[in-house]
């Protein structure tokens, strides 16, 4: 099953876990599974049915242009990367 690397800013929802194994054939399905286990995580990742602006999804080391519809392999690694801002 795919492994999701949880950003530090979201680990309060995963009880401090930095990696979570969840079922899913697409990023969208993985997010739904995350939400079922860790209520509130979807709200931090998704807005109006799409990944929030400023969040990139990296699948198997590559930034995905397909975002939530990206198809996954059984051993995929998924990272949700929030934008970093500053000045």
């Amino acid at each position: 099953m795919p492994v999701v690397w949880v950003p530090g800013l979201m680990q309060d929802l995963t009880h401090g876990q930095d990696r979570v194994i969840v079922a899913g054939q697409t990023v969208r399905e993985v997010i739904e599974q995350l939400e079922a286990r860790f209520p509130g995580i979807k709200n931090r990742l998704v807005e109006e049915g799409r990944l929030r602006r400023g969040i990139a999804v990296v699948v198997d080391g590559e930034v995905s242009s397909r975002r939530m519809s990206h198809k996954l392999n059984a051993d995929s690694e998924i990272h949700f990367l929030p934008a970093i801002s500053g000045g």
Side-chain angles (χ1 to χ4, degrees), residues 1-3 21-25 60 71-77:
M1 285 192 276
V3 175
I21 297 172
V22 294
Q25 295 182 355
D60 298 327
K71 293 195 184 295
L72 305 171
N73 297 315
D75 61 348
S76 285
E77 289 190 4

Side-chain angles (χ1 to χ4, degrees), residues 6-74:
V6 182
L9 294 172
M10 294 182 196
Q11 289 178 15
D12 61 319
L13 296 171
T14 61
H15 313 289
Q17 295 178 72
D18 63 350
R19 284 174 285 188
V20 180
I21 297 172
V22 294
Q25 295 182 355
T26 64
V27 171
R28 182 179 313 277
E29 289 176 10
V30 162
I31 291 172
E32 293 299 332
Q33 292 296 315
L34 286 170
E35 178 65 16
R37 286 178 57 190
F38 308 107
I41 201 164
K42 181 178 178 181
N43 197 37
R44 294 204 193 166
L45 294 171
V46 177
E47 184 174 58
E48 297 181 8
R50 294 187 211 147
L51 278 177
R52 286 184 171 276
R53 186 179 207 133
I55 294 188
V57 62
V58 177
V59 178
D60 298 327
E62 294 188 28
V63 176
S64 174
S65 61
R66 292 173 278 169
R67 301 179 55 84
M68 289 182 57
S69 63
H70 193 112
K71 293 195 184 295
L72 305 171
N73 297 315

